[in-house]
Structure formats: C-alpha cells, structure tokens
Amino acid sequence: MSIDVNNESGTEVDEQAILGAARYALTRMRIHPLSELSVIVVDSAAMEQLHMQWMDLPGPTDVMSFPMDELRPPVKDDEEPPQGLLGDVVLCPEVAKTQGEEAPTRHSMDEELQLLTVHGVLHLLGYDHEEPDEKAEMFGLQAAIVDGWRAEQGLTGPSPAPTVS
C-alpha cells in the first residue's frame, strides 16, 4: 500500500503513527495492497480555507476527505478488491489538540490525529454519518479499527472517544 504523509502544518506530529493507523484501517477494510492514499497535515488557516471552499462552512475543521477513484471495500470474502487511488485525507493538528483536550476521555493530539485518520479513510471508502443509522455503522467501525490499531501497538487504556460529528 502506498501511503504518503505530508506535514505542512508546522506542528510536530507522529507521522509514523498516522501512517500506521491508515495502513491498519485499509488492511482491515480489505483495500487492494497496491492502492494509494495521501494524508496531508495542515495548519488551521489552510484547513479553514478548505472548509470554506469545499463545504461552505466557516472556521477550521478537524478532518476532510477528498476521494479519487471511489474505491469500496469488497462485499464478499472471496471478492477481489479493486486497485486505485483512494484520495486525500487532510488533518488539522490544532483542531485535533483542542478536541483531544475536550473529549470525555481526554487524550493527546497524536491519538486524536490517529482517530481522525481512520475517520477520514472511512469517508474515502464511502462511509458517512449524516443519518443516525449511517453514523452508528461508521462510528462502530471506526471504534473497532482504532481499538484494533491500539491493541496492535500495545497501547492500553480507553480508546479515544469519537470527537468528530
């Protein structure tokens, strides 16, 4: 799997953990191993600009996803996953830091960025949380992936609670 992490934010982030969380999520979702993903970390001014341009909403947000080939996980276990360009996940560490501090299960900016990476990947794969049933499915899957990632890393304690809405 080709995953590029490009930190343009000026904030030090755990790029290896972002890469690992993305790789774990894509493997767990059975995405073709030759598919490509880009993760871009930006400052709040850049995120605010993207948020306004693409969502017509003011202020910075935590994560945005820009799908390319609209790849979807295989439905059947024996189905071969398609290969392609997943797209871009854009993260904002400044917003992630605030969300982690304000979450019911306080956690670090890097833990929040890992959660947001998984969230962004799921958006690229067609998951959404506009409707209650979609939200339950997406957030349940997100929690399972984050818990699996944390277990694989030997991390203990409660997983970060979803802070994205």
Side-chain angles (χ1 to χ4, degrees), residues 19-154:
L19 174 69
R23 186 175 310 284
Y24 183 88
L26 294 172
T27 300
R28 175 103 181 236
M29 296 303 295
R30 298 183 50 236
I31 299 305
H32 196 284
L34 296 178
S35 295
E36 298 176 37
L37 169 68
S38 176
V39 180
I40 306 158
V41 184
V42 299
D43 64 20
S44 61
M47 184 60 99
E48 182 174 11
Q49 183 179 7
L50 289 170
H51 201 213
M52 183 57 84
Q53 179 181 355
W54 294 101
M55 304 296 288
D56 202 24
L57 295 170
T61 190
D62 49 6
V63 60
M64 293 184 75
S65 297
F66 299 93
M68 294 289 285
D69 289 343
E70 298 188 12
L71 300 178
R72 301 292 181 260
V75 177
K76 300 175 184 167
D77 287 341
D78 61 349
E79 186 179 342
E80 181 68 26
Q83 174 186 340
L85 300 173
L86 285 157
D88 300 326
V89 171
V90 183
L91 304 170
C92 183
E94 294 165 80
V95 175
K97 183 178 189 302
T98 301
Q99 287 181 173
E101 291 169 350
E102 294 174 356
T105 56
R106 287 181 50 100
H107 51 271
S108 72
M109 175 192 70
D110 283 318
E111 289 171 311
E112 182 72 6
L113 287 171
Q114 294 159 34
L115 172 82
L116 294 172
T117 298
V118 172
H119 187 85
V121 165
L122 290 175
H123 273 307
L124 291 178
L125 297 176
Y127 290 88
D128 207 348
H129 47 85
E130 292 297 316
E131 300 298 325
D133 59 329
E134 293 174 336
K135 184 175 183 176
E137 178 185 20
M138 182 176 180
F139 280 37
L141 188 53
Q142 174 180 293
I145 292 170
V146 171
D147 287 347
W149 157 248
R150 289 177 54 78
E152 186 177 90
Q153 299 306 302

